[in-house]
Amino acid sequence: HLVVRTTRGPVTVMVLPGQAVQGTEHFDEGGYSGVLARAPGGAVAVLGRGAAEVEEPLRRVLAALTP
C-alpha cells in the first residue's frame, strides 16, 4: 500500500493482486470513505477519513497499472 496526498488530505491506496471484484464499489462507514475497483490482475482500493478524495487517485493508479 501507499499513502497519496490529495486536496482533501491523505488517502491510502492498496493494490490487491488476484482479488476479483465485480465492478466499482463505493463505501462510507466507520469514519472512512473509499472505493474498490477492478484492475488488471486484481483490484485497487482507495480509502481515507471522512469525505476523502478517492476518484482522482483511483484514476491515476488504474492508468499506471493498465498496459
Side-chain angles (χ1 to χ4, degrees):
H1 78 276
L2 55 120
V3 176
V4 177
R5 289 185 190 187
T6 72
T7 58
R8 294 188 187 166
V11 296
T12 300
V13 177
M14 293 181 280
V15 179
L16 307 166
Q19 296 296 313
V21 296
Q22 293 297 318
T24 302
E25 301 175 30
H26 288 84
F27 60 88
D28 185 3
E29 61 183 75
Y32 290 89
S33 62
V35 61
L36 177 65
R38 282 189 304 196
V44 171
V46 181
L47 64 136
R49 291 184 177 237
E53 171 58 51
V54 295
E55 297 298 329
E56 181 61 25
L58 175 63
R59 281 191 290 274
R60 289 183 181 197
V61 170
L62 290 176
L65 293 174
T66 302

